[in-house]
Amino acid sequence: MTISKYLSITAIVFALTIPRQEAKETGDTSSEHNNKGVELAQQHQYEAAINEFNLAIKANPKSARAYVNRGSIFRAMHAQAQDQQYDDAIKDFTKAIEIAPKDPSGYLERGQTLVMQKQYTDALTDLNKAAELKPDDMMAIRLRGFAEIGLGDWDKAAADFTTAIQKDPNDAQAYERRGFVYRSQKKFNEAIADYDKSLEIKPDPDVYTKRGYTYVTYLQNYEKGIADYQQALKINPNDYDTQQRLQYAQAALAGKNAPPAAATPASTPEPGLFTPMNIGIALAVLLVVIGIIFVIMRRRGGSDEEPTAAGPIR
């Protein structure tokens, strides 16, 4: 699961936490619109929720919570559209920080949005501030781990996800992310152990695929990799990438188990033209030809040298 995909799932969960008694305590319409907006957002009625948050801001322009909530809806909508246009969300979170600089919510939500935009250095600034203002908030720690992964700061990322796991031993996502960090550090056995724990808590096809990839690519354990890919496809049979990885692992296993090919005997070269026998025959033929020529020449020379008759017979 990519960072953006994971964070889009949690885009609303944290921000939309307005106490229901707030409207009763203050009696203002801003809180009423805020609460109504939360209810609509939880029903995925995003446009209607934004209208309620607009009314909340109009009723109370200093409502940092309304800006945070509206910003979270903007972010969720852009994440679903995959358009990466988060400027309106960033603007709302920044306004919330201006209104309430001691409230960690604005820093946390803006930091999360910056991570989704892969602006990891700026995200760390916000997430560090959120963790400073609320040290026991594991969301800031976990999101900071995402930013540290983006920057390749593996040790710090591992430490943050370890902290999250210590706070919540059933945090399947923290185990999966730490497993990814360990794999990036070439600590493959530790990565496998974290993937195991993550799957024990929550079976997830993406985690099966990650563990399978670790088995196949780094440990050459094709049997276990194949089993993980097959399990992932049982849950999500239309995952084309996992289908391709499964085929590769099966081919690699078949190649590993194939018997060695029998040695092909070397072919006997055909004899060339200039063999000793052929040379001997050629010499013999040549000598015979020379001899014949010599005899012919001798005969021709002898008839010319015979004496002629001195005269007629008497």
Side-chain angles (χ1 to χ4, degrees):
M1 181 181 291
T2 64
I3 289 177
S4 294
K5 181 179 178 182
Y6 170 70
L7 293 182
S8 67
I9 294 172
T10 61
I12 306 173
V13 174
F14 178 80
L16 303 180
T17 53
I18 303 173
R20 292 294 302 170
Q21 67 271 22
E22 180 180 350
K24 295 179 181 179
E25 292 174 354
T26 61
D28 63 40
T29 58
S30 175
S31 295
E32 293 176 358
H33 288 302
N34 241 330
N35 289 337
K36 181 62 175 177
V38 170
E39 292 176 356
L40 290 168
Q42 290 171 343
Q43 297 168 14
H44 304 287
Q45 299 181 42
Y46 297 144
E47 294 291 349
I50 287 175
N51 289 335
E52 289 296 330
F53 294 135
N54 289 340
L55 292 172
I57 292 169
K58 184 177 180 180
N60 180 10
K62 295 297 184 180
S63 175
R65 176 58 61 182
Y67 279 106
V68 169
N69 284 340
R70 189 176 69 176
S72 71
I73 299 301
F74 284 143
R75 183 180 60 208
M77 293 173 67
H78 292 306
Q80 287 186 351
Q82 298 183 350
D83 57 18
Q84 298 298 310
Q85 301 298 317
Y86 297 109
D87 291 347
D88 46 6
I90 292 289
K91 183 178 179 180
D92 271 358
F93 298 141
T94 301
K95 184 65 176 179
I97 292 170
E98 292 175 0
I99 295 170
K102 298 299 183 181
D103 186 340
S105 301
Y107 298 102
L108 180 64
E109 299 301 329
R110 190 173 68 178
Q112 175 175 332
T113 310
L114 290 169
V115 171
M116 294 172 71
Q117 292 180 298
K118 299 183 180 181
Q119 298 180 30
Y120 301 119
T121 301
D122 291 339
L124 276 180
T125 300
D126 278 347
L127 296 170
N128 284 333
K129 185 64 175 179
E132 174 190 328
L133 292 170
K134 195 174 181 181
D136 61 341
D137 181 7
M138 287 300 102
M139 181 62 76
I141 302 300
R142 296 167 86 256
L143 289 171
R144 190 170 67 184
F146 277 101
E148 289 157 348
I149 285 177
L151 292 171
D153 197 340
W154 307 119
D155 290 336
K156 287 184 178 180
D160 275 342
F161 288 117
T162 298
T163 299
I165 289 168
Q166 290 171 345
K167 184 73 173 180
D168 180 7
N170 292 316
D171 189 339
Q173 184 68 26
Y175 279 108
E176 183 276 321
R177 287 289 81 193
R178 193 176 68 174
F180 175 80
V181 170
Y182 284 150
R183 191 178 76 184
S184 301
Q185 293 178 308
K186 302 187 185 304
K187 299 177 180 179
F188 303 123
N189 292 329
E190 290 89 337
I192 292 293
D194 270 359
Y195 289 142
D196 290 346
K197 187 64 178 178
S198 179
L199 289 167
E200 177 186 327
I201 297 168
K202 180 184 177 182
D204 186 307
D206 288 330
V207 183
Y208 278 115
T209 298
K210 287 186 176 75
R211 189 175 69 178
Y213 181 82
T214 306
Y215 276 130
V216 170
T217 305
Y218 299 108
L219 300 176
Q220 283 74 55
N221 190 330
Y222 302 115
E223 293 89 343
K224 287 188 175 181
I226 288 170
D228 274 347
Y229 290 150
Q230 290 174 335
Q231 186 62 39
L233 290 171
K234 285 181 181 179
I235 302 172
N236 185 10
N238 297 320
D239 187 340
Y240 178 77
D241 288 339
T242 301
Q243 291 173 1
Q244 295 299 305
R245 288 173 178 170
L246 174 61
Q247 292 177 9
Y248 169 81
Q250 290 171 332
L253 179 61
K256 176 183 176 182
N257 294 335
T264 303
S267 59
T268 303
E270 294 292 331
L273 181 62
F274 297 101
T275 63
M277 178 179 293
N278 289 345
I279 293 173
I281 294 173
L283 288 174
V285 170
L286 181 60
L287 290 174
V288 170
V289 171
I290 293 173
I292 293 171
I293 293 173
F294 179 76
V295 170
I296 292 172
M297 293 299 295
R298 292 252 329 155
R299 288 180 178 179
R300 288 181 179 178
S303 61
D304 290 339
E305 294 175 354
E306 285 183 358
T308 58
I313 296 176
R314 296 182 183 267

